Amino acid sequence: MSRKTTSPSEFINIKGIEYFRFEEDFMEDNIRCIPMVVRFKMDACGIKLKLSEWSKFNATERVKLALMSIDNAEVTERYHQYLIALITKYTDNTATKLAIDPAPAWANVQQIPEMLLEKSAEIELNLSLEQWKKLTDIQRFALLKLCRPGHENKNFPKAAVEFGLLN
């Protein structure tokens, strides 16, 4: 999933977007993958976006998806509707809905998920609860996405370094 592209993503220097350097390596079939900030918002609004759908959106629409707020139920619903409209516009498909987790593991700052502790041990990272608490929501979300079973995990160590958890 990491074929280098010559041009940086449209997200790299935009204020207001929590975009990570390790994401510049996210390529699949020569298509830049969906950034964590958008994946985070998709989970929050209950829509699964396929890479083939994402690749049809123009840069302005992709940046808007990264910038739009999901701070409360009203704006999260707006995000949900906007994403559905884009999927319909470009694919004529019905958006794939996801169940929204009412208590996602990344939101629990009182306990580090076991799956993350196991993955951290593989790279000799002794993640403390204090470090876990200091991460942003999207950083915790990203670490959990990067350590899931069946996921290509080579960006996990890069994320740990970028987030100041590993030298």
Side-chain angles (χ1 to χ4, degrees):
M1 190 174 178
S2 72
R3 277 181 238 139
K4 287 272 185 191
T5 181
T6 55
S7 62
S9 79
E10 58 263 29
F11 306 102
I12 195 134
N13 290 313
I14 296 182
K15 285 189 185 282
I17 296 176
E18 194 168 352
Y19 181 74
F20 307 117
R21 287 185 307 276
F22 72 83
E23 293 185 274
E24 283 296 297
D25 293 341
F26 277 19
M27 296 289 290
E28 190 172 292
D29 301 326
N30 285 327
I31 299 169
R32 192 173 295 282
C33 289
I34 304 166
M36 290 292 176
V37 65
V38 174
R39 292 171 69 185
F40 179 82
K41 293 174 182 188
M42 291 176 349
D43 279 13
C45 80
I47 296 290
K48 178 171 178 53
L49 182 63
K50 297 173 185 86
L51 188 58
S52 60
E53 295 165 337
W54 171 254
S55 69
K56 292 179 175 149
F57 303 168
N58 66 47
T60 302
E61 292 160 336
R62 290 191 298 262
V63 167
K64 183 174 179 177
L65 285 167
L67 285 169
M68 285 177 76
S69 175
I70 56 162
D71 290 343
N72 61 52
E74 183 181 325
V75 294
T76 301
E77 180 57 25
R78 256 185 261 154
Y79 191 94
H80 178 93
Q81 294 305 322
Y82 180 66
L83 188 50
I84 287 173
L86 286 176
I87 292 167
T88 302
K89 172 182 173 182
Y90 288 106
T91 69
D92 286 328
N93 292 332
T94 304
T96 305
K97 298 202 174 164
L98 289 173
I100 298 172
D101 186 345
W106 59 261
N108 182 353
V109 294
Q110 301 308 314
Q111 181 179 3
I112 303 170
E114 190 60 37
M115 172 178 68
L116 181 56
L117 290 172
E118 289 170 10
K119 188 66 184 173
S120 296
E122 289 177 21
I123 62 167
E124 298 180 12
L125 167 60
N126 186 16
L127 184 63
S128 71
L129 188 58
E130 199 55 40
Q131 288 172 306
W132 178 246
K133 288 178 179 181
K134 287 180 182 175
L135 295 171
T136 67
D137 290 348
I138 296 174
Q139 287 173 326
R140 289 191 305 273
F141 172 85
L143 288 174
L144 289 173
K145 286 290 187 193
L146 292 171
C147 77
R148 314 183 291 232
H151 187 277
E152 186 182 346
N153 304 115
K154 68 178 177 180
N155 281 312
F156 181 79
K158 291 178 183 180
V161 169
E162 186 171 342
F163 300 165
L165 304 172
L166 194 62
N167 294 330

